[in-house]
Amino acid sequence: MQSADLTLQLPPSMQLPAPEEPLESFQREEVLSWEVDRQSETVRFLSLVVGDPSALGDLAENLESVHRYDITPVDEDTFYGYVEMDLRAADATLLGTFDVPGLVIVPPMVYTGRENVHITVLGEPEAMSRLLERAPNEVDIEVTRVSEHQRRSETLAGRLTARQFEALEVARDVGYYEVPRSGALATVAEALECSESAASTLLRSAEAELVDAALLR
């Protein structure tokens, strides 16, 4: 069983037909769950969005294809957005690309712009090959990683080793990540029963994993 990270560049026909202004208010959208209802030709999805919550309302009001939306704020610039909208032929084509036996999409699907989508898929090598073969010619797909599936790589906390996770917990508890910082690296090292150099390496390695998770997926 393998997993692969894919970056898709969508052509204009597959991009959301919306004004640029509200879309510029969204820095990142993680599509957590989605359901395609082919009988009613609608699609429903739940996303975690980094951006201006009011922009989703503006966007939904300007699109006739949107039947319903709901916003649940997380903080000032992060919110959950639920949307029900018409299933466009372009959307059906894109999502249908991944309807390959033996292949599943590992949520979230991450949008970092109108045209860029980052997707992780899981399946046998043969299924991976069929996916690339059936992808629409107008969709540019870059395979950024292929490896044996490791469950720990699919969640933020799960990317870390137990020791890295422990180091982050200790650093937070002693105030190392407070602004301004109230806990010293020496205090973290003492709690971890290791040298300051080893503690620093643990923290930087863990931080690098989390930065990659935030920016690359």
Side-chain angles (χ1 to χ4, degrees):
M1 188 75 70
Q2 289 185 331
S3 66
D5 292 338
L6 312 175
T7 296
L8 281 60
Q9 188 166 26
L10 304 180
S13 63
M14 290 186 175
Q15 297 172 19
L16 190 65
E20 193 66 35
E21 185 175 349
L23 290 180
E24 288 179 345
S25 300
F26 304 144
Q27 284 75 50
R28 177 184 175 92
E29 177 186 4
E30 298 185 2
V31 183
L32 306 175
S33 179
W34 58 92
E35 179 185 12
V36 175
D37 187 337
R38 297 190 181 276
Q39 184 173 359
S40 63
E41 296 187 343
T42 59
V43 59
R44 297 179 283 272
F45 56 89
L46 174 69
S47 298
L48 180 63
V49 184
V50 178
D52 180 5
S54 65
L56 177 60
D58 295 338
L59 182 62
E61 296 294 342
N62 287 327
L63 290 176
E64 294 183 1
S65 58
V66 175
H67 304 303
R68 177 188 172 190
Y69 72 93
D70 186 69
I71 297 172
T72 303
V74 176
D75 53 35
E76 290 184 357
D77 57 4
T78 307
F79 62 94
Y80 287 101
Y82 172 79
V83 177
E84 295 181 11
M85 62 185 299
D86 291 335
L87 177 65
R88 301 180 304 155
D91 299 328
T93 298
L94 178 63
L95 293 173
T97 299
F98 297 91
D99 288 339
V100 176
L103 187 79
V104 295
I105 297 177
V106 181
M109 292 194 297
V110 180
Y111 284 77
T112 54
R114 183 193 289 265
E115 71 280 354
N116 296 320
V117 190
H118 309 278
I119 299 176
T120 295
V121 292
L122 172 66
E124 299 296 342
E126 296 80 6
M128 299 282 189
S129 298
R130 288 196 294 274
L131 165 65
L132 297 176
E133 290 171 358
R134 63 181 294 164
N137 292 331
E138 62 270 30
V139 176
D140 182 30
I141 299 181
E142 177 185 3
V143 180
T144 58
R145 178 193 61 84
V146 177
S147 66
E148 291 301 312
H149 178 59
Q150 294 179 324
R151 182 182 60 84
R152 72 180 187 89
S153 69
E154 309 306 341
T155 64
L156 287 179
R159 288 175 176 262
L160 310 179
T161 65
R163 186 63 167 164
Q164 289 171 338
F165 195 81
E166 179 188 12
L168 287 178
E169 283 191 308
V170 167
R172 183 194 61 185
D173 289 345
V174 303
Y176 185 79
Y177 288 117
E178 290 183 3
V179 181
R181 179 172 291 168
S182 62
L185 181 62
T187 307
V188 177
E190 182 180 359
L192 293 173
E193 298 182 347
C194 66
S195 67
E196 288 189 36
S197 175
S200 176
T201 297
L202 279 170
L203 292 176
R204 286 188 287 109
S205 298
E207 291 160 4
E209 287 287 350
L210 299 183
V211 168
D212 283 349
L215 298 181
L216 301 181
R217 266 284 283 136

